[in-house]
Amino acid sequence: INAEYGGLGRFPFFFFQMSINPKKLKVPELRIELKKLGIDSSGLKKKAELVEKLEEALGITVKRNDPAALKVSELRAQLKDRGLSTTGNKAELVKRCLLYTSDAADEEDSV
């Protein structure tokens, strides 16, 4: 590997992409990682914004359209934003999200 990538300590960028899980980093660590990539994080205030920016920069694809891939807290936040009930277990929250999404798509089709 060393000869292939120019000597000791030089690895391809994708090597580092695989080793970072932005959701497990703390806000200062997220800012450091973004700075290493040359991305300004001064306008980003919430951890979720920083995580999203770092995931985007690293080319990490997140299934944001798949409610089952979200955490319960994220599901509840989405449901609250839509004015829907936030009670129940994860399966109920996912079902409610999916019903809302399919209803919204049906409304778009009828317009």
Side-chain angles (χ1 to χ4, degrees):
I1 288 180
N2 288 338
E4 192 174 339
Y5 294 109
L8 184 63
R10 298 183 131 206
F11 293 97
F13 182 64
F14 70 84
F15 177 80
F16 294 103
Q17 288 179 340
M18 296 183 305
S19 64
I20 295 175
N21 182 350
K23 289 183 179 182
K24 293 191 177 193
L25 298 177
K26 295 179 180 169
V27 170
E29 296 167 334
L30 287 164
R31 292 194 188 280
I32 289 168
E33 292 301 322
L34 287 166
K35 187 175 181 179
K36 285 180 189 177
L37 297 171
I39 299 170
D40 181 30
S41 65
S42 60
L44 307 174
K45 299 199 186 306
K46 296 182 179 179
K47 180 178 178 177
E49 295 171 338
L50 294 164
V51 167
E52 186 175 340
K53 192 72 164 180
L54 185 56
E55 287 175 341
E56 181 183 308
L58 296 175
I60 299 172
T61 55
V62 179
K63 294 182 178 179
R64 301 214 185 272
N65 296 335
D66 180 12
L70 298 174
K71 295 179 184 177
V72 171
S73 60
E74 295 168 329
L75 286 165
R76 286 198 169 114
Q78 281 193 5
L79 290 166
K80 184 179 178 183
D81 290 345
R82 296 170 179 167
L84 301 171
S85 172
T86 60
T87 60
N89 62 26
K90 183 172 182 174
E92 293 168 341
L93 299 174
V94 168
K95 183 178 179 181
R96 198 171 299 132
C97 256
L98 291 171
L99 286 172
Y100 175 85
T101 305
S102 67
D103 288 346
D106 290 342
E107 286 178 20
E108 282 184 20
D109 290 342
S110 64
V111 173

